[in-house]
């Protein structure tokens, strides 16, 4: 991994970088390439420079561009999407697509395959965003029709990365369980991380026309997607919010099994698994008690002190599945 790509990973992945840093170099490089490619696709799907139809074109082409790169097509993509981000690191990422592809080519065959699997899934989720929801400037809001659709979306955007993470780990350390079970548990954890993102980002998503919470559930509580634009409707949204918090907490229960399957001789891998689960539980707890989740001025975020506090306490649980389970369950019970 070049220093330039490592810096891009550090600046664009936030707390996830802290977990990825615990992986051995070979696994860390694969994670970095997969993450940056998915982040690049996310930038395509969200750019305000292109209409949704053009973004959809590039998302549908994206996996093919990785496996069969063409310099002219890469240049065209970079030209079309660069220049709109206020984040200088994201702007650097947009301009370094060829560098990401070069790093991908250096991966082993199995590493390429799991990377392509997660890119395909994430791109399918982004196609949902571009095909189901109205253009950001349309002044409309649309909700996903059903809980099944939301669960599928979480599976594509969170569960598939969870499977990627699980396969990456199981290729580098011996796990104490059938690999397919290990991957299923990782998928469940990924589902939970995605619902955390959806709950946390709800006010922002609503203002670009996207409501991931099912229309059928909103109707049961006398709401429409447009009603969620008004913070005073937060109490009426509360039953929907609490249902999906419970769903996320149930998924996070699998982190206990996942953590317990990792050898105690692999403390860095165990830390890399423990942190996202504990932070996700903390975030769900903050969302659960937030009385005005619909207010765009009250973004839910766990404090940096909590992040580093968790890291400092981690050595106490690295050799004990029971202590990790107790710590996580204490958060899930709130």
């Amino acid at each position: 991994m070049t220093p330039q790509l490592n810096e891009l990973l550090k600046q664009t992945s936030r707390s996830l970088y802290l977990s990825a840093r615990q992986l051995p170099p070979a696994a860390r490089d694969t994670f970095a390439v997969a993450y940056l490619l998915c982040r690049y696709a996310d930038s395509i799907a969200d750019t305000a420079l292109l209409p949704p139809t053009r973004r959809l074109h590039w998302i549908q082409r994206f996996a093919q561009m990785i496996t069969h790169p063409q310099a002219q097509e890469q240049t065209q993509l970079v030209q079309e999407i660069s220049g709109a981000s206020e984040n200088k690191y994201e702007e650097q990422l947009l301009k370094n697509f060829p560098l990401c592809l070069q790093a991908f080519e250096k991966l082993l065959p199995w590493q390429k395959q799991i990377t392509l699997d997660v890119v395909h899934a994430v791109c399918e989720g982004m196609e949902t965003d571009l095909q189901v929801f109205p253009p950001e400037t349309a002044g409309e809001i649309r909700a996903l029709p059903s809980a099944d659709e939301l669960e599928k979306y979480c599976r594509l955007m969170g569960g598939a990365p969870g499977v990627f993470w699980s396969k990456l780990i199981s290729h580098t350390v011996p796990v104490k369980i059938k690999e397919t079970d290990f991957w299923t548990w990782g998928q469940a954890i990924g589902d939970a991380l995605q619902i955390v993102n959806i709950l946390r980002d709800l006010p922002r998503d609503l203002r670009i026309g996207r409501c991931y919470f099912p229309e059928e559930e909103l109707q049961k509580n006398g709401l429409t997607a447009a009603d969620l634009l008004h913070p005073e409707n937060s109490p009426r949204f509360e039953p929907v919010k609490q249902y999906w918090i419970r769903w996320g907490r149930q998924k996070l229960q699998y982190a206990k099994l996942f953590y317990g399957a990792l050898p105690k001789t692999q403390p860095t891998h165990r830390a890399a698994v423990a942190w996202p689960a504990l932070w996700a539980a903390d975030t769900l707890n903050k969302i659960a008690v937030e009385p005005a989740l619909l207010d765009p001025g009250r973004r839910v975020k766990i404090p940096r002190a909590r992040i580093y506090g968790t890291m400092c306490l981690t050595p106490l649980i690295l050799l004990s599945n029971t202590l990790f389970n107790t710590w996580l369950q204490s958060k899930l019970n709130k």
Side-chain angles (χ1 to χ4, degrees):
M1 178 60 56
T2 68
Q4 188 174 7
L5 286 184
N6 185 67
E7 184 65 16
L8 287 173
L9 176 67
K10 180 180 180 180
Q11 297 298 334
T12 58
S13 64
R14 298 173 298 201
S15 60
L16 193 57
Y17 174 77
L18 299 173
S19 295
R21 199 170 57 180
Q22 304 306 308
L23 298 172
R28 193 185 316 142
D29 288 354
T30 308
F31 170 84
V33 171
Y35 176 85
L36 291 173
L37 287 173
C38 289
R39 183 63 185 264
Y40 202 97
D42 183 63
S43 297
I44 296 171
D46 288 346
T47 183
L49 291 176
L50 300 176
T53 52
R54 188 60 177 166
R55 285 179 258 167
L56 183 60
H57 162 79
W58 284 119
I59 289 297
Q60 291 174 335
R61 285 284 308 149
F62 194 69
Q64 184 75 6
M65 292 177 69
I66 296 171
T67 54
H68 297 84
Q70 299 178 23
Q72 184 176 357
E73 190 176 34
Q74 293 171 32
T75 300
Q76 183 179 356
L77 172 59
V78 171
Q79 288 175 346
E80 289 190 23
I81 67 174
S82 296
S85 177
E86 296 179 357
N87 183 318
K88 67 177 183 178
Y89 293 106
E90 184 171 5
E91 194 62 33
Q92 289 178 20
L93 174 62
L94 298 181
K95 294 176 180 178
N96 279 289
F97 186 43
L99 195 61
C100 292
L101 296 182
Q102 291 170 18
F104 173 81
E105 282 303 316
K106 295 178 181 178
L107 299 179
L108 297 173
W110 71 266
Q111 295 169 329
K112 288 182 179 180
Q113 186 58 58
I114 65 172
T115 298
L116 287 172
D117 288 344
V118 72
V119 168
H120 274 292
V122 168
C123 284
E124 184 180 343
M126 292 171 186
E127 287 183 39
T128 298
D129 287 334
L130 294 168
Q131 293 175 324
V132 171
F133 299 116
E136 295 88 342
T137 57
E140 303 174 19
I141 302 178
R142 192 171 301 155
L144 290 177
S146 67
D148 286 344
E149 290 297 317
L150 177 50
E151 291 191 21
K152 178 183 177 182
Y153 186 80
C154 287
R155 184 63 44 85
L156 293 170
M157 301 297 286
V163 172
F164 164 83
W165 183 265
S166 305
K167 289 183 177 180
L168 191 59
I169 290 176
S170 64
H171 269 89
T172 57
V173 299
V175 295
K176 305 175 183 178
I177 195 68
K178 189 167 65 174
E179 282 190 337
T180 52
D181 289 340
F182 190 67
W183 302 342
T184 298
W185 299 341
Q187 180 176 271
I189 298 167
D191 288 348
L193 299 184
Q194 184 59 28
I195 202 64
V196 168
N197 291 338
I198 290 173
L199 284 160
R200 186 187 58 204
D201 295 340
L202 175 59
R204 181 187 67 84
D205 289 334
L206 290 169
R207 280 153 184 80
I208 60 172
R210 301 176 182 180
C211 177
Y212 293 98
F213 293 98
E215 184 176 24
E216 60 185 16
E217 293 183 14
L218 297 178
Q219 289 176 348
K220 288 178 183 177
N221 290 277
L223 291 166
T224 66
D227 290 334
L228 303 187
L229 285 170
H230 306 289
E232 62 268 24
N233 286 322
S234 291
R236 296 167 62 197
F237 179 69
E238 193 69 14
V240 180
K241 182 187 86 171
Q242 294 297 339
Y243 173 86
W244 288 100
I245 288 173
R246 290 193 297 272
W247 186 85
R249 285 171 171 163
Q250 289 169 358
K251 295 286 185 176
L252 278 178
Q253 293 283 356
Y254 287 94
K256 301 175 188 176
L257 298 172
F258 196 97
Y259 186 83
L262 295 170
K264 294 179 181 179
T265 55
Q266 302 292 330
T268 56
H269 284 79
R270 286 162 73 86
V273 168
W275 292 344
L278 293 167
W279 293 331
D282 284 333
T283 306
L284 285 175
N285 290 337
K286 286 188 69 70
I287 293 170
V289 299
E290 172 54 59
L293 185 66
L294 301 181
D295 186 345
R298 297 175 65 125
R299 179 172 170 81
V300 175
K301 191 176 181 180
I302 58 174
R304 190 169 294 272
R306 176 66 61 86
I307 291 175
Y308 289 112
T310 299
M311 294 171 67
C312 290
L313 291 172
T314 301
L316 300 177
I317 55 99
L318 290 179
L319 295 178
S320 172
N321 296 333
T322 301
L323 287 178
F324 170 75
N325 293 348
T326 301
W327 193 6
L328 178 59
Q329 190 61 48
S330 70
K331 296 176 183 292
L332 296 178
N333 284 339
K334 290 185 178 180

